[in-house]
Amino acid sequence: MMNKKGLAILMRTQMRPLSPVSQSKLNQMQVSQPEGYKVSSSPDASLLPEREFTQVWESMHSAMSTNKTEIVDVALDDFSEGYFFLSPENRHKILLSLAKEYDLNRTQVRELMKQHLDLQLPSDKAEDSGDHEEEGSLSAFYRIERNLRQALKPMHEVLFERLNTHPGGLKFLSDIRADILRILEDVNIASLRALDSHLKEKLITWLSPANLELHNITWDDPASLLEKIVAYEAVHPISNLIDLKRRLGIGRRCFGYFHPAIPGEPLIFIEVALMKDVAATIQEVLWDYPPISEHEASCAIFYSISSTRPGLSGVNLGKFLIKRVVDVVKNDMPNVSVFATLSPIPGYRQWLLSKLASSEMSGSTFKENLLRPEEEKALMDASGGSDMGSSGTEVMWNLLTSKNHEWTNSPNLVSALRTPMMRLCARYLLKEKKRGKALDSVANFHLQNGAMIGRLNWMADRSQKGLAQSEGIMVNYIYRLDNIEDTAQSYLNEGHIEASSDFRSYTENELKE
């Protein structure tokens, strides 16, 4: 019989869609509304009056302009409460007001800079010489520089700092930033981008590892927390209670980073499988049962990492979480010596389709022969003639864009596609870059954290999501504990991607770009 915890989780998760698209919408709803207020599900939501923009603006202004604690607290409460009832248009308007009207005073900054430039530089030994005139010159420099530092502090920083120490304020700040990021997806407004950059810097400081608590999430945790794990799982959706219990049971771990100001809700969490060997398919991670005895495990496989707050995008909590989890597992299980991921390749299919389309365009400037002669022949033979195309690239395009990925049901087509798909995937991960860094977002995340590319895995994720992202291919990133920092610095400074010899063998004959 289902226990009370299981029933509670089931009841709650049934009210939350778990598909990636629906989950994304759910997350936006949760970010957009205050605790307990849901636009889509509450029958009374349409009756809630929208706060007047001027009221919210005035409370925001009061929260910055006064120094009386009791007034500040009331103003912060009014602002954070009223903001959630504003329409998207008025949220846009108030954030734009915050960015433009509460920026730094550039006239004052320029005047201070002019005063600084007008001073004569003192000698290097002025402070030790005892010369009163030189000492006075130094004092003028210190005074102007102090004033300049103060002038370079925008007024909206006062709001951010006061909200950070206000109950519920840190969570509200992440909600505000989520709204800013959504606006910037549609329009590029310099003042709003500057506001985002400033708030991001503050969040990075306030959410440093020293301020976060690592928690090993288990089945014994409150149902409200487990329900959040189900709702926020972004990589491999949790299908039911059995699936959840398996991910929290023997041979599995789930760790989350928590902040005291946002209790009961992980900012980010990572799921780990303890295994004998580095996993080659997600099926063996999620569905192999029963799991091996933990004392037999020699590998820790990170197979999912999910952020719960869109407003923390760009705040790299994952880097610190992985390092903390490695330390915890090493201390608890000395027999585990290999730390690796089983990761999706979310950008591969889209990149490959664009290359195939470009290759097929007659007279295209970017036309290239994506397939080797033997790969072309294998594809033409497996497709049964010219029905699917007159060239290997046309056949590949038609197969990869077929309804419901029908090619996966044909052993001949699966075999013919494997070699070119794996080779081109290796090229995508190793050579395709943006601003000197890996084009694939997941690859860039792990490489900048100090991992190396280990192994490509064919048909590793046959779910609809896995096929849509990368035609089922997954990759293992390896965290070698003895040189994580060197690998990370080499990638960050030079764009160098460390990869195993097996992985590099896919691209040995590729032309260097």
Side-chain angles (χ1 to χ4, degrees):
M1 182 177 292
M2 185 179 297
N3 59 27
K4 290 183 179 179
K5 174 178 289 186
L7 182 60
I9 298 170
L10 180 61
M11 293 283 288
R12 295 183 184 193
T13 54
Q14 281 181 337
M15 294 188 290
R16 295 174 181 259
L18 295 179
S19 70
V21 173
S22 299
Q23 187 61 61
S24 174
K25 293 178 181 176
L26 171 66
N27 290 347
Q28 290 180 15
M29 267 182 22
Q30 289 180 321
V31 167
S32 303
Q33 306 302 336
E35 190 71 27
Y37 173 68
K38 300 177 182 177
V39 168
S40 62
S41 60
S42 173
D44 299 323
S46 61
L47 303 178
L48 291 171
E50 182 175 312
R51 292 293 184 93
E52 290 292 335
F53 171 83
T54 51
Q55 287 182 285
V56 180
W57 183 91
E58 286 169 0
S59 62
M60 179 182 75
H61 178 78
S62 297
M64 288 182 274
S65 59
T66 184
N67 289 320
K68 293 184 178 180
T69 304
E70 60 275 16
I71 297 178
V72 170
D73 288 341
V74 172
L76 289 173
D77 282 338
D78 289 346
F79 173 54
S80 57
E81 179 184 350
Y83 177 86
F84 284 115
F85 294 110
L86 290 175
S87 66
E89 293 76 18
N90 276 341
R91 289 193 194 185
H92 185 159
K93 185 178 175 182
I94 205 163
L95 291 173
L96 206 55
S97 170
L98 183 63
K100 290 184 175 181
E101 298 172 28
Y102 297 90
D103 198 0
L104 52 85
N105 184 336
R106 289 183 175 80
T107 301
Q108 182 185 14
V109 171
R110 289 172 69 90
E111 177 59 32
L112 288 168
M113 290 173 66
K114 184 177 180 298
Q115 292 177 24
H116 195 278
L117 291 171
D118 287 345
L119 291 176
Q120 184 176 351
L121 287 172
S123 65
D124 293 339
K125 298 181 180 179
E127 199 162 3
D128 299 327
S129 66
D131 188 303
H132 292 296
E133 185 175 342
E134 293 280 7
E135 186 68 25
S137 177
L138 275 173
S139 296
F141 270 105
Y142 294 147
R143 184 183 67 257
I144 293 173
E145 287 160 0
R146 182 184 65 247
N147 292 338
L148 189 56
R149 283 194 300 272
Q150 193 64 28
L152 285 169
K153 180 180 178 180
M155 193 171 179
H156 56 241
E157 184 174 305
V158 175
L159 178 66
F160 295 160
E161 291 176 346
R162 289 179 174 179
L163 277 171
N164 180 51
T165 58
H166 191 70
L170 183 61
K171 186 174 182 178
F172 178 44
L173 283 169
S174 74
D175 293 343
I176 287 178
R177 184 162 182 259
D179 283 344
I180 294 172
L181 291 174
R182 277 194 285 273
I183 295 169
L184 290 174
E185 286 178 0
D186 299 325
V187 290
N188 187 12
I189 303 172
S191 59
L192 204 56
R193 195 163 292 282
L195 181 71
D196 171 63
S197 177
H198 198 97
L199 179 52
K200 177 183 172 183
E201 289 175 6
K202 288 293 182 182
L203 289 170
I204 289 173
T205 301
W206 296 328
L207 296 174
S208 68
N211 297 326
L212 300 177
E213 301 169 357
L214 183 71
H215 176 63
N216 181 13
I217 300 165
T218 72
W219 184 252
D220 294 327
D221 277 306
S224 58
L225 171 57
L226 301 187
E227 178 258 345
K228 289 182 173 67
I229 299 300
V230 174
Y232 289 122
E233 165 57 48
V235 185
H236 304 291
I238 297 172
S239 55
N240 52 44
L241 287 175
I242 296 175
D243 186 11
L244 173 63
K245 198 165 188 177
R246 183 185 293 117
R247 297 191 196 199
L248 302 177
I250 297 172
R252 300 293 182 267
R253 297 288 189 276
C254 181
F255 295 94
Y257 254 154
F258 293 76
H259 192 281
I262 310 177
E265 180 176 327
L267 303 179
I268 188 171
F269 60 92
I270 190 169
E271 295 169 72
V272 187
L274 304 172
M275 308 186 76
K276 285 184 178 180
D277 302 299
V278 176
T281 70
I282 195 61
Q283 288 80 14
E284 63 188 283
V285 170
L286 296 180
W287 300 113
D288 272 8
Y289 195 82
I292 64 167
S293 298
E294 293 190 355
H295 71 272
E296 298 178 26
S298 61
C299 303
I301 308 300
F302 307 130
Y303 65 92
S304 178
I305 184 165
S306 301
S307 177
T308 65
R309 306 204 65 78
L312 299 184
S313 175
V315 181
N316 194 355
L317 300 177
K319 172 183 178 180
F320 303 110
L321 178 60
I322 288 174
K323 291 181 177 180
R324 281 289 307 277
V325 169
V326 166
D327 289 339
V328 169
V329 174
K330 272 176 58 184
N331 290 334
D332 292 349
M333 305 184 67
N335 48 306
V336 173
S337 58
V338 176
F339 295 87
T341 77
L342 182 61
S343 299
I345 313 170
Y348 174 51
R349 183 173 184 269
Q350 182 179 356
W351 171 84
L352 179 57
L353 290 178
S354 69
K355 285 292 183 182
L356 290 170
S358 177
S359 179
E360 280 300 297
M361 287 173 62
S362 178
S364 170
T365 306
F366 304 101
K367 185 171 182 177
E368 62 175 311
N369 294 321
L370 289 175
L371 299 177
R372 295 172 177 172
E374 64 275 15
E375 296 169 348
E376 178 126 9
K377 182 179 184 304
L379 273 172
M380 296 302 293
D381 291 345
S383 64
S386 61
D387 289 347
M388 297 202 67
S390 58
S391 68
T393 52
E394 186 179 357
V395 169
M396 181 180 275
W397 167 272
N398 287 328
L399 289 174
L400 299 186
T401 57
S402 63
K403 185 179 179 181
N404 298 324
H405 309 278
E406 292 172 353
W407 63 271
T408 59
N409 299 320
S410 167
N412 289 338
L413 291 175
V414 169
S415 177
L417 280 169
R418 176 171 182 158
T419 299
M421 290 283 289
M422 295 283 273
R423 176 178 60 80
L424 290 168
C425 188
R427 166 184 160 178
Y428 168 72
L429 291 174
L430 198 59
K431 297 186 176 183
E432 298 297 323
K433 297 185 178 181
K434 180 181 180 181
R435 298 174 185 168
K437 302 297 185 292
L439 181 60
D440 188 81
S441 59
V442 174
N444 183 55
F445 170 77
H446 287 294
L447 293 170
Q448 70 180 357
N449 292 344
M452 65 173 285
I453 305 178
R455 182 182 67 198
L456 280 181
N457 302 291
W458 179 246
M459 289 288 102
D461 183 359
R462 299 183 68 122
S463 69
Q464 285 299 309
K465 182 179 180 181
L467 292 169
Q469 286 185 332
S470 59
E471 304 298 345
I473 302 174
M474 299 187 78
V475 60
N476 302 118
Y477 297 101
I478 311 297
Y479 283 87
R480 298 179 300 176
L481 305 188
D482 54 342
N483 60 359
I484 283 181
E485 292 303 325
D486 290 343
T487 303
Q489 289 306 311
S490 178
Y491 175 71
L492 292 170
N493 297 333
E494 304 164 22
H496 174 72
I497 296 177
E498 191 76 24
S500 67
S501 57
D502 286 346
F503 183 87
R504 287 189 177 274
S505 67
Y506 286 110
T507 60
E508 281 178 352
N509 299 321
E510 292 280 327
L511 292 174
K512 292 186 177 180
E513 299 182 10

